[in-house]
Amino acid sequence: MNTRFTFCMIKPDAFKSDTVSDILLDILKAGFKIRGIKITMLTKSKAEQFYDIHQGKEFFDRLTTFMSSGPVMAMVLERPDAVESLRKLIGKTDPAQADEGTIRKKFGSDTTHNAVHAADSYENAEREWSFFFSKREIY
């Protein structure tokens, strides 16, 4: 377990609102280094695979439909205490409840359309970046 690395994904709503560069700037200003990055599209099936831990929850279909509706930017980020630091930077899942200045408060509109996804543990971070990146794509 590497506590210096985490996973982040910028969601389709940020692409639609053209706020991807603003979100990236917030991440970089917070001291994160990008160690892997790519823009890709998720099919509905791939979104269901990625979010399989939420299978059976009421929001699963809504989330996976949304996540397959446009491009996403997947990133491996490095910083000490990476998971905790990124979770603090992005704010609560519901932008209405997120602290002022957080990414979700600034760029999100609801619990689905909240601009970014971030791993909630180091174990999940590794599982999530492995979904998008091979080892040779991360430096």
Side-chain angles (χ1 to χ4, degrees), residues 10-25:
I10 298 178
K11 294 181 175 184
D13 56 321
F15 281 88
K16 288 178 183 144
S17 64
D18 198 27
T19 56
V20 173
S21 59
D22 297 317
I23 293 168
L24 274 174
L25 188 58

Side-chain angles (χ1 to χ4, degrees), residues 53-133:
I53 61 170
H54 297 302
Q55 188 97 22
K57 295 180 181 171
E58 65 84 17
F59 60 84
F60 182 75
D61 186 60
R62 181 174 66 248
L63 175 63
T64 56
T65 297
F66 164 64
M67 291 302 294
S68 58
S69 71
V72 298
M73 180 180 287
M75 295 177 283
V76 179
L77 302 174
E78 180 185 17
R79 184 189 140 154
D81 298 321
V83 168
E84 298 85 0
S85 298
L86 185 61
R87 299 291 297 178
K88 184 176 180 182
L89 177 66
I90 69 167
K92 292 185 178 180
T93 302
D94 183 349
Q97 296 178 7
D99 290 340
E100 287 299 325
T102 61
I103 290 172
R104 287 176 170 163
K105 185 69 164 188
K106 294 194 296 189
F107 305 109
S109 59
D110 60 49
T111 57
T112 302
H113 304 87
N114 58 11
V116 292
H117 164 93
D120 61 1
S121 70
Y122 291 102
E123 294 78 17
N124 282 340
E126 188 167 349
R127 181 185 65 80
E128 292 173 1
W129 78 56
S130 296
F131 186 88
F132 288 96
F133 299 95

Side-chain angles (χ1 to χ4, degrees), residues 3 29 33 41 53 61 85 97 134-135 137:
T3 60
K29 281 182 176 179
K33 294 179 183 173
M41 296 280 293
I53 61 170
D61 186 60
S85 298
Q97 296 178 7
S134 68
K135 287 184 182 185
E137 295 176 298

